[in-house]
């Protein structure tokens, strides 16, 4: 029997698994990747009796692979907050999926564990740019303002590390980063005892965000804005957290951050307005490689020839939602 943990390589996936494995320690095979690498169950070759946990990846995008591992006789626990579509009914499948805009996988796991490792849930929620939800979970923990800021920073840095086209773009392979944070029941303990890892993430984030801040918008009005980042490693790393920063700075505006790819096409991160967190997934599903959730979504491959059409559709879509 194998124990296999399948998880998104961003803050939410990492913090969800850290909570579960602190509550139920297991030596497991880790299956993860960059944040946009979501077809993770395709990598799992399951046998009867295997125990598979899937965290923070869309069931809709992994449906065929999920059916395959269930047919092989594996037991699957699936926790997620993305659009799922029709959920299979199977006696070996346990599902906790909630696509609400103010929920992430770390918060769902926190509910399952009844707050046992709530600080990690707070980190995951901050990393997913769910600041109000993170503050609500943190409120009964008695943290000081400085401690809460530390958890927010860690969430942002863990999330930042997940963005890139390949593992080589990242400061840490998400599997390695998980191994570094997993021994700690508290994120504050991690930041204190693994200070070198934290410092590397913090420095990288600061440098990359500084570079992104120098770029002008290719379109901006009161309801939407579009930015294009160059085909550079720093740009691929910063695309998602830069989108979150823009959303926080302009909460009534939708944002699209496009990152140039080697072939000239674009990788796209979409953030709905923080004050109206809807439609990002609906908009992105208009495109063949698009998906996500209502507050935040993306397109993995937008043809360069579709750029003008994309900008026009983006403007019209969020103008229609505001009327």
């Amino acid at each position: 029997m194998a124990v296999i943990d399948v998880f998104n390589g961003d803050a939410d996936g990492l913090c969800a698994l850290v909570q579960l494995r602190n509550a139920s320690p297991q030596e497991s095979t880790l299956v993860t990747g960059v944040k946009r690498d979501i077809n993770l169950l395709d990598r799992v070759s399951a046998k009867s009796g295997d125990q598979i946990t899937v965290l923070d990846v869309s069931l809709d995008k992994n449906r065929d692979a999920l059916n395959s591992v269930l047919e092989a006789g594996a037991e699957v626990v699936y926790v997620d907050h993305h659009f799922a579509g029709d959920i299979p009914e199977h006696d070996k499948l346990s599902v906790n999926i909630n696509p609400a805009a103010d929920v992430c996988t770390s918060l769902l796991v926190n509910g399952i564990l009844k707050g046992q490792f709530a600080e990690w849930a707070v980190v995951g929620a901050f990393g997913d740019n769910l600041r109000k939800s993170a503050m609500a979970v943190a409120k009964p923990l008695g943290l000081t303002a400085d401690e809460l800021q530390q958890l927010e920073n860690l969430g942002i840095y863990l999330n930042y590390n997940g963005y890139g086209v390949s593992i080589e773009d990242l400061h840490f392979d998400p599997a390695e980063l998980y191994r570094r944070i997993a021994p700690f029941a508290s994120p504050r303990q991690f930041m204190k005892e693994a200070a070198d890892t934290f410092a590397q993430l913090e420095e990288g984030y600061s440098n990359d965000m500084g570079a992104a801040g120098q770029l002008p918008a290719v379109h901006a009005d009161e309801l939407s804005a579009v930015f294009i980042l160059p085909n550079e490693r720093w740009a691929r790393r910063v695309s998602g957290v830069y989108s979150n920063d823009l959303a926080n700075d302009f909460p009534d505006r939708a944002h699209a951050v496009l990152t140039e790819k080697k072939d000239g096409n674009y990788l796209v991160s979409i953030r709905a307005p923080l004050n109206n967190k809807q439609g990002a997934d609906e908009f992105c599903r208009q495109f063949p490689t698009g998906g996500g959730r209502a507050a935040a979504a993306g397109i993995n491959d937008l043809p360069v020839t579709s750029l003008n059409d994309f900008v026009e559709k983006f403007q019209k879509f969020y103008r229609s939602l505001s009327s």
Side-chain angles (χ1 to χ4, degrees):
M1 181 197 77
V3 177
I4 304 170
D5 290 327
V6 181
F7 62 102
N8 195 299
D10 69 354
D12 192 25
L14 287 164
C15 293
L17 184 57
V18 168
Q19 291 176 80
L20 283 176
R21 288 295 163 243
N22 268 283
S24 179
Q26 291 271 15
E27 287 292 329
S28 67
T29 299
L30 302 178
V31 179
T32 187
V34 298
K35 181 178 174 66
R36 294 298 184 95
D37 189 358
I38 57 173
N39 299 111
L40 295 174
L41 267 177
D42 284 339
R43 300 188 198 169
V44 176
S45 179
K47 301 183 295 296
S48 181
D50 287 352
Q51 296 180 356
I52 302 172
T53 301
V54 186
L55 301 168
D56 196 33
V57 290
S58 166
L59 189 154
D60 189 54
K61 299 293 186 182
N62 288 270
R63 185 180 314 282
D64 290 344
L66 174 60
N67 286 329
S68 293
V69 299
L70 290 170
E71 288 170 7
E75 298 180 8
V76 180
V77 174
Y78 210 116
V79 187
D80 186 44
H81 66 129
H82 297 90
F83 173 79
D86 293 332
I87 298 173
E89 294 186 7
H90 198 285
D91 60 359
K92 292 186 180 296
L93 175 63
S94 174
V95 173
N96 188 329
I97 294 177
N98 182 350
D102 58 351
V103 169
C104 64
T105 308
S106 290
L107 295 177
L108 294 175
V109 171
N110 183 61
I112 293 169
L113 299 179
K114 303 186 186 306
Q116 192 174 354
F117 301 98
E119 286 187 21
W120 279 116
V122 171
V123 172
F126 274 132
D128 241 24
N129 205 35
L130 299 177
R131 197 168 192 277
K132 288 183 180 179
S133 298
M135 297 288 281
V137 174
K139 189 173 182 179
L141 301 180
L143 301 170
T144 67
D146 284 346
E147 289 170 337
L148 192 59
Q149 185 63 59
Q150 286 180 332
L151 298 190
E152 182 172 9
N153 291 345
L154 178 59
I156 291 169
Y157 302 157
L158 292 177
N159 205 53
Y160 152 79
N161 183 77
Y163 281 91
V165 172
S166 66
I167 295 295
E168 289 70 30
D169 286 339
L170 312 184
H171 295 292
F172 297 98
D173 182 323
E176 173 60 23
L177 188 54
Y178 167 76
R179 294 186 186 100
R180 294 190 183 207
I181 65 177
F184 300 101
S186 162
R188 289 181 289 154
Q189 183 186 11
F190 160 73
M191 287 183 280
K192 180 179 180 180
E193 298 187 22
D196 289 349
T197 300
F198 180 79
Q200 186 173 341
L201 291 170
E202 185 171 50
E203 182 180 0
Y205 172 82
S206 178
N207 291 340
D208 290 353
M209 287 295 286
Q214 302 301 311
L215 298 174
V218 297
H219 154 75
D221 60 29
E222 73 280 8
L223 295 176
S224 62
V226 179
F227 294 81
I228 296 180
L229 302 180
N231 178 29
E232 301 286 348
R233 282 189 173 182
W234 70 263
R236 294 191 289 271
R237 287 194 298 264
V238 84
S239 61
V241 289
Y242 183 51
S243 302
N244 289 344
D245 255 28
L246 290 168
N248 291 327
D249 290 343
F250 302 92
D252 294 316
R253 194 169 76 177
H255 294 89
V257 175
L258 285 65
T259 307
E260 295 177 351
K261 300 169 67 173
K262 288 182 180 179
D263 62 3
N265 291 347
Y266 298 102
L267 183 72
V268 184
S269 289
I270 301 289
R271 296 294 181 271
L274 281 186
N275 291 337
N276 185 22
K277 293 191 290 188
Q278 61 174 317
D281 55 344
E282 180 185 347
F283 175 78
C284 288
R285 286 200 299 270
Q286 297 179 58
F287 301 87
T289 60
R293 51 192 174 87
I299 303 165
N300 285 337
D301 190 50
L302 179 72
V304 64
T305 54
S306 300
L307 176 60
N308 291 336
D309 180 57
F310 168 87
V311 174
E312 182 178 349
K313 285 182 176 178
F314 190 61
Q315 289 177 266
K316 288 181 177 179
F317 183 84
Y318 277 100
R319 191 169 298 280
S320 70
L321 287 187
S322 69
S323 59

